């Protein structure tokens, strides 16, 4: 095990998660949610903000970048409605995975509701 492997976190893809319809109202969900384990990944926080005092419904907004040095079985395909389970929470993908010669990265974000 290399030093980089010690920093990797478990990640899984939640296929057919939310929402049940695309922005045009077309239903695309076919079956239940599938949890597909992905290889462990390096995770870097790119944005974290506490939105206290802004009057918004969401209190915390976070964004992370997930990096794999290699993905077995080719590249990762993200579909509308797919989510990612990471750090015991559900994150929404931003765009599609970007493939570079040295690895693959994917941006994720989430918002946590304001607690009363």
């Amino acid at each position: 095990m290399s030093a980089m492997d010690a920093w990797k976190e478990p990640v899984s893809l939640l296929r057919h998660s939310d929402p049940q319809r695309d922005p045009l109202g077309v239903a695309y969900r076919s079956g239940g949610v599938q949890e597909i384990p992905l290889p462990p990944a390096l995770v870097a926080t790119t944005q974290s903000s506490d939105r206290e005092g802004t009057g918004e419904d969401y209190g915390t907004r976070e964004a992370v970048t997930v990096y794999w040095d290699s993905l077995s079985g080719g590249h990762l395909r993200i579909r509308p409605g797919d989510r990612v389970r990471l750090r015991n929470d559900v994150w929404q993908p931003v765009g599609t995975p970007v493939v570079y010669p040295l690895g693959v990265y994917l941006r994720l974000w989430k918002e946590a509701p304001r607690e009363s």
Side-chain angles (χ1 to χ4, degrees):
M1 179 161 93
S2 72
M4 292 296 275
D5 290 339
W7 290 92
K8 291 184 178 180
E9 299 183 36
V11 180
S12 59
L13 179 66
L14 302 175
R15 175 82 10 110
H16 304 297
S17 185
D18 292 331
Q20 296 183 10
R21 298 183 177 277
D22 69 9
L24 296 175
V26 178
Y28 57 81
R29 185 173 183 171
S30 58
V33 175
Q34 297 174 323
E35 188 159 352
I36 303 166
L38 299 174
L42 295 172
V43 180
T45 301
T46 54
Q47 176 187 1
S48 181
S49 60
D50 184 5
R51 317 269 307 159
E52 188 68 36
T54 61
E56 295 180 356
D57 291 339
Y58 289 92
T60 305
R61 180 174 289 154
E62 282 187 273
V64 297
T65 299
V66 179
Y67 172 80
W68 293 275
D69 50 1
S70 66
L71 278 176
S72 60
H75 62 279
L76 176 65
R77 171 175 253 165
I78 300 289
R79 298 178 184 161
D82 288 351
R83 300 295 183 259
V84 175
R85 184 180 310 282
L86 173 71
R87 297 178 176 170
N88 296 321
D89 214 342
V90 177
W91 298 72
Q92 182 174 340
V94 178
T96 60
V98 178
V99 180
Y100 284 107
L102 297 176
V104 177
Y105 82 84
L106 175 65
R107 293 180 53 216
L108 306 171
W109 73 278
K110 70 172 182 161
E111 290 180 323
R114 185 171 309 285
E115 295 178 8
S116 301

